Amino acid sequence: MGRYDHSQYVSMTLEFRCNLKCVHCMIEGTMDRLQPESQDRFQALLQYNAQHRAWKGLIMTGSEITLNHDLPDMARMAREAGFQHVRIQTHGMHLAQESYCRKLVEAGVDEFFVSVAGPDEESHDEITGVAGSFTRMLRGLENLEAYEHVHSITNTVVTAKSYRLLPAVVDRLAHLKRLTQMEYWLYWPMSERDEKDLIARHADVLPYLRQAIAKARGYGRDVEVKNFPECLLGEEGEALVNTQPQLFIDPAFWKEFGRNGFYQCVHRERCGSKECLGLNTAYVGKYGLEQDSLHPVVSRIGN
């Protein structure tokens, strides 16, 4: 299980621009159409939480939230409205600038969810499509080490290009003391087909994913895995956490998301998993339903 209670957080998309070209980008092709939440909507969220205390943490997200020049002011307003934690989701490049990093921390950002595509410059930059992005991202994570109250979280999107790199990513970040949780999101294409040929077969991913989970826990970190069959994880099944904070986003996003067609599994009616999303349409189209490798699981204690 992860460290953070998603029911205690709320997410709002406040920026749809990005200056990376990640091959696995989920909203590629929609960034020009999706609209970020307005400042009026943001203020309404703050006022609601100030009155009702519905959430402890606010996550400010979008394609790359640090491109929003109002980010420090918004973080400050969120703190003044009573949010105990303010998190940003970022590719981390702009955190390489120490003064900007300090500005965000002083404004109230205390949790940084940073995307890490690979364990080195060659692999990370190839996936993000921008030379120098690994060096700047890593420097940004290292800049956060100066703040004892700050926590960092990393996410690695698991694709055919990245799954073999997962254990090495854990080792490369071993020196970070503020890194509390590592997440692994299995790629979904927001489409009925894997047009980029990025979906990896679960059986191929599994040994590398298990190694990464074990290594991360060995370094004292919590782990969350998204969109992987719980039955295949076996003893690591509790690492599967598909729940997410409530998200405020352009409603057009959900029409695109629905194209994934999750929850396909021949064992679904007999399976006790409360977290598993099954297979999606693009995966089934590429590898089939894999009924011989999947199996029903017994409900976890407490579910």
Side-chain angles (χ1 to χ4, degrees):
M1 295 179 63
R3 173 184 295 258
Y4 303 94
D5 181 354
H6 297 305
S7 69
Q8 296 295 315
Y9 285 77
V10 60
S11 291
M12 180 167 269
T13 53
L14 294 157
E15 177 59 62
F16 271 117
R17 293 175 295 169
C18 188
N19 51 357
L20 289 188
K21 304 170 185 175
C22 297
V23 65
H24 55 246
C25 181
M26 288 174 55
I27 58 173
E28 182 184 47
T30 64
M31 284 188 284
D32 293 338
R33 293 186 283 111
L34 297 178
Q35 296 298 313
E37 297 296 290
S38 67
Q39 281 299 308
D40 286 345
R41 293 264 294 170
F42 178 68
Q43 293 297 334
L45 177 69
L46 298 188
Q47 291 174 16
Y48 180 85
N49 204 51
Q51 182 178 359
H52 299 283
R53 302 294 178 182
W55 306 283
K56 292 182 179 178
L58 171 66
I59 302 171
M60 292 190 284
T61 186
S63 298
E64 178 46 45
I65 191 64
T66 60
L67 293 177
N68 190 317
H69 296 303
D70 295 327
L71 180 58
D73 289 337
M74 290 190 291
R76 192 172 294 108
M77 287 187 283
R79 284 292 197 156
E80 291 171 355
F83 279 102
Q84 297 175 28
H85 299 288
V86 175
R87 180 186 305 176
I88 63 168
Q89 293 187 343
T90 174
H91 56 43
M93 287 208 305
H94 299 157
L95 302 178
Q97 186 178 350
E98 194 172 353
S99 60
Y100 180 71
C101 199
R102 183 171 61 253
K103 188 175 185 179
L104 291 182
V105 172
E106 290 176 349
V109 181
D110 64 340
E111 295 177 356
F112 293 79
F113 185 94
V114 179
S115 299
V116 181
D120 50 47
E121 191 171 323
E122 180 181 0
S123 60
H124 181 97
D125 292 3
E126 179 185 353
I127 291 170
T128 64
V130 173
S133 58
F134 176 80
T135 299
R136 295 180 65 183
M137 174 277 298
L138 184 59
R139 187 177 304 147
L141 281 169
E142 291 172 343
N143 282 339
L144 296 175
E145 294 287 288
Y147 306 98
E148 292 187 1
H149 71 289
V150 162
H151 292 171
S152 60
I153 303 162
T154 61
N155 177 45
T156 301
V157 177
V158 182
T159 69
K161 293 181 177 292
S162 68
Y163 74 87
R164 298 178 183 87
L165 306 172
L166 300 182
V169 169
V170 180
D171 288 335
R172 185 64 185 87
L173 304 181
H175 63 298
L176 299 176
K177 299 185 185 307
R178 311 295 173 222
L179 177 53
T180 55
Q181 181 160 296
M182 304 188 77
E183 299 191 7
Y184 305 102
W185 292 46
L186 276 291
Y187 170 75
W188 56 82
M190 303 281 276
S191 172
E192 295 82 358
R193 293 183 299 171
D194 182 21
E195 295 173 347
K196 293 183 177 180
D197 195 25
L198 287 176
I199 297 178
R201 187 186 290 275
H202 294 318
D204 295 332
V205 173
L206 185 58
Y208 297 93
L209 184 59
R210 279 181 165 156
Q211 285 183 47
I213 293 171
K215 281 177 173 285
R217 288 173 173 166
Y219 290 122
R221 282 137 194 182
D222 291 295
V223 174
E224 284 192 8
V225 175
K226 312 285 187 184
N227 186 32
F228 195 84
E230 182 174 344
C231 58
L232 296 182
L233 287 170
E235 294 180 354
E236 287 83 27
E238 66 177 16
L240 183 69
V241 181
N242 282 319
T243 54
Q244 289 292 316
Q246 183 174 349
L247 172 63
F248 289 92
I249 191 171
D250 188 329
F253 169 83
W254 297 114
K255 184 176 181 180
E256 300 286 340
F257 187 83
R259 298 174 64 188
N260 288 302
F262 287 115
Y263 297 108
Q264 299 183 47
C265 179
V266 296
H267 306 292
R268 185 180 177 193
E269 297 300 321
R270 295 183 293 130
C271 184
S273 174
K274 305 299 183 186
E275 289 286 340
C276 191
L277 299 180
L279 306 177
N280 58 54
T281 299
Y283 187 95
V284 172
K286 189 170 184 178
Y287 298 115
L289 287 166
E290 301 203 299
Q291 56 265 41
D292 294 335
S293 60
L294 305 180
H295 59 85
V297 300
V298 178
S299 298
R300 296 182 212 164
I301 296 175
N303 281 357

